[in-house]
Amino acid sequence: VDNRGKGRKGKRTMSEAVQKVFCYYYLQDCRGGRKYSIPRCIEYTEQWARKNVPDELPLPDYSTFYRLAMDIPEPVRVLAREGERAYYDKVSLYTRRDYESINSNDWWVGDTYTCDVITRAPDGTLHRPYLSAWVDVRSGIFVGWYIDFCSDSQHSIYALRRGIKAYGVPNNNLYTDNGREYLTFDFGGRGHRAKRVLADGSAPWEPPNIIQRMDVKMTNAIPKNSRAKIVERSFKDVKEYIMRLFPSYTGGSPEEKPEALKGMLKTDKVPTDAEFIAQVNQIIEGYLNYQPYYGSVPEDQGKRRIDVYNEHLRHVRKPDEDTLRLMMLRTTRPQTVRREGIKIMVKGRPVYYISDELHREYTGKKVY
């Protein structure tokens, strides 16, 4: 009745012009380095009002301007103040995956993780390992992984081969990012980097790659869209359940770096490469894959991940050793057969191959 508190709800004493000036400062484009706080926007608005509309002074208090800022739709606020990337991550349209319709081995998702541990090489140097891994989308278990000390497409192939030997060939799709360890001409194809048309107008010809010989599809995530790959969440488990166990744990950021790390690296407690690989292999296979399922399917909550995998396994394609070896072979790029034959690089040295049939039937033609 006396116009206190909620009696003033929805009413403001400042003019529309003052409100627009405040919103102008509050919704400044963040790309220019400007993301003014509400008190700073009030100060700039007051300076504008003192010069242009002195009758509007004094301006209302902070709470009035705060309510005005919060009345701006959240998508507009985020896009204007934080940019398109934040808008896409926080408030854009979101579609939930239908995990109930996915069976085990239908989709595998892969990525490479820089381990948050420092290990000691045989020559005494310190470095950080890389974990290339494939995770089953339905259950969240690690089906194949490989540890080495550089990021390379061959390590992704080793991890995939290990997964196929243990669980069979994935039935439908492999889901990865756009990294070079997947988008190479002889593994998954070049993806969006591939040339559609050559200079002469013809379509390029490439040898069949490993993914095509497996008879599966490779789907690549939208660039800079890590939330689409559930393997990122699996790597959080690797960090919590495995990496923190080692005394040379480095943390995932400078803020997480242990204070005692620098002194510890001077001791003999740093694990060797062989020790680290053996222990991580054992923990993933015998412990991590048996952790409770925490995915999006309510009826599977609380079950062990390996049990979820087995319950929803409908079809297994398990090749014999000879077929698997042939299927996972890498190829050269197309090359023209000449009088001296074809050249293959083996450990950095050229090796030439020629035969009567190759010379007679394929001279001048492209082979791989």
Side-chain angles (χ1 to χ4, degrees):
V1 175
D2 58 0
N3 208 30
R4 286 183 297 177
K6 291 187 178 180
R8 304 193 304 272
K9 186 176 181 180
K11 301 178 182 179
R12 296 192 181 93
T13 56
M14 58 179 149
S15 66
E16 184 178 355
V18 173
Q19 296 182 42
K20 287 185 176 181
V21 171
F22 171 80
C23 291
Y24 167 78
Y25 288 116
Y26 183 71
L27 299 177
Q28 285 282 5
D29 187 351
C30 68
R31 288 173 296 183
R34 297 167 292 188
K35 190 178 176 182
Y36 301 136
S37 64
I38 293 179
R40 188 65 55 215
C41 295
I42 296 174
E43 178 183 340
Y44 293 152
T45 304
E46 186 174 9
Q47 293 175 7
W48 176 88
R50 190 177 295 115
K51 181 178 180 180
N52 296 279
V53 285
D55 295 342
E56 296 285 341
L57 298 175
L59 296 179
D61 60 9
Y62 171 85
S63 60
T64 302
F65 284 99
Y66 176 81
R67 291 194 300 271
L68 174 60
M70 294 302 105
D71 284 345
I72 299 172
E74 184 181 11
V76 177
R77 277 203 322 269
V78 173
L79 179 62
R81 290 178 60 81
E82 301 181 40
E84 294 182 2
R85 175 64 182 171
Y87 170 83
Y88 178 75
D89 287 343
K90 296 180 180 179
V91 295
S92 64
L93 294 175
Y94 174 77
T95 303
R96 178 188 175 274
R97 278 199 181 101
D98 182 16
Y99 287 96
E100 290 83 353
S101 65
I102 301 176
N103 294 320
S104 300
N105 271 13
D106 279 358
W107 285 76
W108 287 3
V109 57
D111 203 359
T112 299
Y113 166 63
T114 305
C115 298
D116 299 316
V117 170
I118 293 178
T119 62
R120 192 182 302 277
D123 62 359
T125 58
L126 301 179
H127 51 195
R128 291 175 67 175
Y130 290 86
L131 172 66
S132 298
W134 296 91
V135 172
D136 177 63
V137 169
R138 182 62 178 85
S139 61
I141 69 168
F142 283 82
V143 290
W145 62 93
Y146 185 82
I147 301 171
D148 211 310
F149 300 90
C150 63
S151 181
D152 184 78
S153 60
Q154 186 62 47
H155 303 154
S156 301
I157 296 174
Y158 287 153
L160 183 60
R161 190 180 193 279
R162 180 176 184 168
I164 293 173
K165 287 190 69 173
Y167 296 95
V169 180
N171 297 324
N172 294 336
N173 273 273
L174 296 176
Y175 192 87
T176 70
D177 58 21
N178 296 271
R180 294 286 186 178
E181 59 266 38
Y182 304 104
L183 293 186
T184 56
F185 73 96
D186 61 342
F187 180 24
R190 300 198 63 203
H192 67 277
R193 301 186 183 95
K195 293 182 178 179
R196 307 304 177 193
V197 181
L198 298 178
D200 59 1
S202 63
W205 177 79
E206 294 285 352
N209 54 53
I210 291 176
I211 302 301
Q212 291 170 336
R213 294 201 296 269
M214 290 170 55
D215 194 24
V216 298
K217 296 179 181 178
M218 176 176 280
T219 302
N220 301 108
I222 299 173
K224 300 181 180 179
N225 185 35
S226 59
R227 66 179 181 179
K229 298 180 300 179
I230 65 168
V231 70
E232 301 280 358
R233 280 162 268 172
S234 300
F235 285 153
K236 289 183 180 179
D237 290 343
V238 171
K239 178 180 177 179
E240 293 298 322
Y241 287 97
I242 302 179
M243 298 303 153
R244 292 183 184 274
L245 299 176
F246 290 92
S248 57
Y249 171 72
T250 65
S253 64
E255 291 78 15
E256 294 182 2
K257 182 179 179 180
E259 185 176 350
L261 177 64
K262 186 175 180 180
M264 197 282 306
L265 294 178
K266 299 178 182 179
T267 69
D268 58 356
K269 296 182 180 180
V270 179
T272 64
D273 293 348
E275 292 172 342
F276 177 81
I277 292 173
Q279 292 173 21
V280 171
N281 287 341
Q282 188 174 12
I283 295 174
I284 291 178
E285 188 170 8
Y287 179 70
L288 198 58
N289 282 350
Y290 288 80
Q291 289 302 299
Y293 173 81
Y294 59 83
S296 302
V297 182
E299 57 266 27
D300 290 334
Q301 296 286 346
K303 298 178 182 178
R304 299 187 306 177
R305 298 176 195 175
I306 193 68
D307 293 335
V308 174
Y309 174 86
N310 291 327
E311 286 180 17
H312 298 281
L313 186 61
R314 301 291 180 264
H315 178 58
V316 179
R317 297 191 298 155
K318 215 161 189 180
D320 58 69
E321 185 65 28
D322 290 338
T323 303
L324 178 60
R325 185 181 297 111
L326 180 63
M327 185 169 61
M328 303 299 288
L329 282 177
R330 307 195 74 162
T331 65
T332 65
R333 293 182 182 276
Q335 55 180 300
T336 303
V337 178
R338 305 194 184 280
R339 293 174 60 187
E340 67 274 17
I342 56 174
K343 181 177 70 173
I344 301 173
M345 301 299 294
V346 178
K347 294 188 176 182
R349 300 185 64 182
V351 177
Y352 287 89
Y353 173 79
I354 188 62
S355 68
D356 291 340
E357 181 185 2
L358 184 67
H359 183 267
R360 182 176 62 251
E361 303 288 344
Y362 293 96
T363 298
K365 298 181 179 178
K366 286 187 179 295
V367 299
Y368 66 94

